[in-house]
Amino acid sequence: MTESPTVFPVCIAGTGSYVPERILTNAELAARVDTSDEWIVTRTGIRERRIAAENEFTSHMATHAARKALEDAGLSAADLELIIVATITPDTPTPATACYVQQNIGASKAVAFDISAACSGFLYAMKMAKRLIASGAFNNAIVIGAEKLSHITNWEDRATCVLFGDGAGAAVLRRAQPGEGAVLATEMGTDGSLTHILNVPGGGTACPITAANVNNHLATLTMLGKEVFKHAVTRMKEAAEIVIERAGLKPEDIACVIPHQANQRIIDAIADRLAVPNDRVFMNLHKYGNTSAAAIAIALDEAHRTGAFKRGDHIVMVVFGAGLTWAAAAVRW
Ligand code: ACO
């Protein structure tokens, strides 16, 4: 997909994130299924993840993250014009989770809708918001990645239950003033021939919710891990290279790479292939596991707040997810 000329430059004005209080450790999982802390850490890099309370919904986590991002951006909810929530675990099939967020934060004049692109959703949403602001259709937007993956996890399947967690992250985008940062380049792609390697088979029209389907774990995530791994590395490398080149940069110009927080070995392989030193690659998956659409958004917020990059630095975000989908963005902070 090619970039058309931007009319108005668009910057990321603020970020926010939220994770639930409850920590689920590898040791606790090892007491439930046939696994060990050693296996999980060696194969994935994950040490613990956060699990939302039963009465804590995706919109609640998204709302916390959104409030923090608005505060960081110095934008009042009343002035917010667009809310896009990326999620595969919405509160309800309809209305969109973004509508609950709009209500919760009091952004009464904002247009609100969800998108479903699995882990790539946050960067898909960022590209859409950037284009809508660049074209002059909106002055600002908040993009939110929020997931309650614990709700669609098969807690009896050791191959998947060790990987996922819950949380939310958000970024406020707005028209940039001269001298401010900018979202320089974005890329996204899809390969629908790979729907079978990572999916939730049940719960939609193809396999409606019935007691039998739920008992057979058809409403939870299934995955061909090795296949996902292979495609993830290839697609993320390509997408990152595309946005780096399109932004007129070289790998050595990138102060911080924020990759999808799915597996330490995937991240190491990407850093290696992009020739970016490991100390410029931001990671928090040891604390949260894979939170799908929330992962890059939470990582961006933590990287921003912990000073992993500073104003004027170039950063690259890159992600893959079910679909298969992938996306990347190069940003001058
Ligand atoms: N504990 C102990 N043993 C395990 C566990 C576990 N939790 N899970 C699997 N095993 C066993 C397997 O049964 C297998 O045993 P066998 O050799 O006797 O058959 C052995 O470990 C090796 O299994 P593999 O699947 O070959 O292990 P691999 O090294 O590929 O690691 C993993 C598995 C971590 C899932 C890896 O393939 C991976 O990270 N893939 C990508 C996953 C990913 O990023 N998914 C994104 C999801 S994004 C979204 O849309 C939500």
Side-chain angles (χ1 to χ4, degrees), residues 2-36:
T2 53
E3 293 285 304
S4 51
T6 301
V7 181
F8 299 108
V10 176
C11 68
I12 299 179
T15 64
S17 64
Y18 169 84
V19 290
E21 259 177 45
R22 161 89 168 101
I23 296 173
L24 178 63
T25 64
N26 289 351
E28 285 174 85
L29 280 172
R32 291 187 198 179
V33 291
D34 183 14
T35 190
S36 65

Side-chain angles (χ1 to χ4, degrees), residues 8 17 41 56 76 92 95 114 149 196 225 252 265 302:
F8 299 108
S17 64
V41 172
E56 188 171 37
S76 91
T92 49
D114 289 0
L149 291 186
H196 62 287
E252 56 268 31
R265 290 185 295 145
E302 289 198 350

Side-chain angles (χ1 to χ4, degrees), residues 35 39 43 119 158-159 198 223 225-226 262-263 265 290 320 322:
T35 190
W39 192 97
R43 297 292 179 118
C119 307
R158 68 175 182 174
L198 180 53
M223 181 176 69
K226 275 197 193 309
N263 184 312
R265 290 185 295 145
N290 179 351
F320 73 95

Side-chain angles (χ1 to χ4, degrees), residues 94-273:
T94 194
T97 298
C99 301
Y100 301 113
V101 175
Q102 189 233 35
Q103 167 72 11
N104 291 346
I105 64 177
S108 53
K109 85 175 185 200
V111 172
F113 62 91
D114 289 0
I115 65 158
S116 171
C119 307
S120 306
F122 180 70
L123 290 188
Y124 268 45
M126 185 175 287
K127 176 163 185 136
M128 287 196 286
K130 180 205 164 183
R131 285 283 152 207
L132 288 166
I133 297 168
S135 70
F138 294 86
N139 288 305
N140 61 53
I142 191 162
V143 291
I144 306 170
E147 300 285 13
K148 187 172 178 176
L149 291 186
S150 58
H151 177 67
I152 56 165
T153 297
N154 176 357
W155 292 103
E156 292 171 18
D157 176 17
R158 68 175 182 174
T160 53
C161 77
V162 301
L163 302 175
F164 304 117
D166 301 334
V172 171
L173 273 65
R174 64 162 165 74
R175 207 180 283 183
Q177 303 303 318
E180 288 190 319
V183 180
L184 299 173
T186 53
E187 166 70 3
M188 52 188 194
T190 305
D191 183 352
S193 73
L194 296 173
T195 50
H196 62 287
I197 68 173
L198 180 53
N199 63 19
V200 178
T205 53
C207 179
I209 296 179
T210 61
N213 288 343
V214 170
N215 288 339
N216 288 327
H217 299 294
L218 293 179
T220 55
L221 276 161
T222 65
M223 181 176 69
L224 299 177
K226 275 197 193 309
E227 282 297 298
V228 175
F229 195 114
K230 188 177 71 188
H231 291 289
V233 171
T234 309
R235 293 306 192 177
M236 287 213 290
K237 174 189 176 276
E238 285 170 0
E241 283 175 345
I242 287 169
V243 295
I244 290 170
E245 192 193 336
R246 210 176 274 160
L249 301 170
K250 298 205 161 32
E252 56 268 31
D253 300 325
I254 310 303
C256 185
V257 175
I258 303 176
H260 183 39
Q261 306 290 310
N263 184 312
Q264 167 110 44
R265 290 185 295 145
I266 295 178
I267 294 172
D268 289 346
I270 300 296
D272 196 41
R273 283 166 177 73

Side-chain angles (χ1 to χ4, degrees), residues 36-81:
S36 65
D37 177 57
E38 197 266 334
W39 192 97
I40 302 171
V41 172
T42 317
R43 297 292 179 118
T44 72
I46 299 164
R47 293 182 182 277
E48 57 191 39
R49 67 287 293 143
R50 300 299 179 101
I51 303 295
E54 211 165 309
N55 61 354
E56 188 171 37
F57 308 150
T58 300
S59 67
H60 299 149
M61 295 186 276
T63 297
H64 288 305
R67 288 196 176 116
K68 288 183 188 165
L70 286 169
E71 190 187 347
D72 191 38
L75 184 70
S76 91
D79 293 329
L80 187 61
E81 297 183 7

